[in-house]
Amino acid sequence: MIFFMKNRAIKESVFYCKRDTLTIRGTEYRPDGENLPIAIVSHGFMAFQDTVRQYAKALAEIGYAAYCFDFCGGSVVKGKSDGKTTDMSVLTEVEDLEAVIEYVKQQAYTDETKILLMGCSQGGFVSALTAAKHKEEISKLVLFYPAFCIPDDARAGKMMFAKFDPANIPDLVSCGPMKLGRCYVEDVIGMNPYEEIRDYQGDVLIVHGTKDDIVNMTYIEQAYDTYMENKTNNKVSLKIIEDGKHGFSKKHDAMAIQYVKDFAITIIP
């Protein structure tokens, strides 16, 4: 499929890649050109790729080969990738994202030296962890209401709709419409997220709303401070959206997308 965004032709096509025996399915949005910078956008907990499609399209509009995909076992409905929700965790999603990065780097029209990761909520946390693991490869990082609260939530035994005894984690954790496995809790319960992300020295943009009732602003401020502590010649920016919630409204999304475009376009020669 080809569509036009502000007079620029964007080709939309599906892509597939593997993480171990599991197939990851996603969508590529690509303008014409060679040596295109790469953008990979990660959805949040229980969500699916369509919920972040607008960000991939916006990045394609300014010249990126942009990708969104479904995490393995990471969706309640409409997820197209393989995998069970009971096998999903933040760390398996890091592995999924790493598999997508490797796939897009191999495409003949992409520039593997210019990679932007973007994620929302849990997808933001996953993107931040992945960027730190691959700090030499990832040029830019965009985090929308990133869920750095997940390890603290695990330690408290309250993760979204799930409640459990953190000293006696059950094999199955009921989280509203999603069934989680023990691994979801175990993989983060001992984690200090700020130590995990500390070494990343690429450009960072964090966008957060003042009325987010899932991720408290204190987590965002601590993440910002962590990135600032290790700042050298890179840019670290925090944009606050007044009255923004966890999942932006159409009006707030338009503001956030403009922040991303202003931040991301500097990577393009």
Side-chain angles (χ1 to χ4, degrees), residues 77-93:
V77 296
K78 297 187 178 181
K80 296 178 181 177
S81 294
D82 292 351
K84 299 176 182 178
T85 63
T86 50
D87 293 331
M88 179 273 297
S89 76
V90 166
L91 297 187
T92 67
E93 291 197 346

Side-chain angles (χ1 to χ4, degrees), residues 15-177:
F15 77 89
Y16 308 88
C17 63
K18 288 279 191 179
R19 191 257 289 174
D20 300 325
T21 60
L22 302 176
T23 299
I24 299 168
R25 298 175 174 88
T27 308
E28 175 192 75
Y29 299 92
R30 176 164 60 95
D32 291 333
E34 303 292 330
N35 298 315
L36 299 173
I38 294 164
I40 304 172
V41 187
S42 296
H43 67 75
F45 181 66
M46 293 192 189
F48 54 101
Q49 63 179 292
D50 288 8
T51 60
V52 295
R53 192 179 297 272
Q54 70 272 30
Y55 307 129
K57 288 182 176 181
L59 286 159
E61 180 185 333
I62 61 171
Y64 283 78
Y67 301 81
C68 54
F69 65 98
D70 297 317
F71 282 112
C72 293
S75 306
V76 174
V77 296
K78 297 187 178 181
K80 296 178 181 177
S81 294
D82 292 351
K84 299 176 182 178
T85 63
T86 50
D87 293 331
M88 179 273 297
S89 76
V90 166
L91 297 187
T92 67
E93 291 197 346
V94 168
E95 293 176 0
D96 291 346
L97 181 51
E98 288 175 325
V100 174
I101 291 170
E102 286 306 306
Y103 168 82
V104 300
K105 283 167 54 178
Q106 293 169 15
Q107 304 314 300
Y109 42 80
T110 61
D111 184 348
E112 66 176 36
T113 69
K114 296 178 179 178
I115 302 176
L116 178 150
L117 298 184
M118 176 179 177
C120 299
S121 192
Q122 180 168 298
F125 185 26
V126 168
S127 296
L129 293 174
T130 306
K133 282 186 68 178
H134 301 272
K135 58 186 178 181
E136 303 300 328
E137 296 180 76
I138 308 304
S139 305
K140 288 182 177 286
L141 179 62
V142 178
L143 307 175
F144 278 15
Y145 39 92
F148 289 110
C149 59
I150 289 175
D152 275 352
D153 291 348
R155 288 185 277 271
K158 296 179 181 179
M159 304 181 80
M160 293 291 287
F161 312 112
K163 292 185 180 181
F164 52 89
D165 178 1
N168 187 25
I169 305 165
D171 290 335
L172 288 177
V173 179
S174 181
C175 190

Side-chain angles (χ1 to χ4, degrees), residues 220-256:
I220 304 306
E221 291 169 342
Q222 190 166 351
Y224 174 76
D225 289 344
T226 299
Y227 286 124
M228 287 296 291
E229 286 170 9
N230 211 23
K231 186 176 182 299
T232 53
N233 296 320
N234 57 310
K235 179 181 179 181
V236 179
S237 179
L238 171 59
K239 299 292 186 182
I240 303 299
I241 294 185
E242 194 66 33
D243 296 329
K245 297 182 179 180
H246 197 81
F248 296 140
S249 66
K250 186 175 181 180
K251 171 183 147 182
H252 293 149
D253 220 25
M255 296 170 58

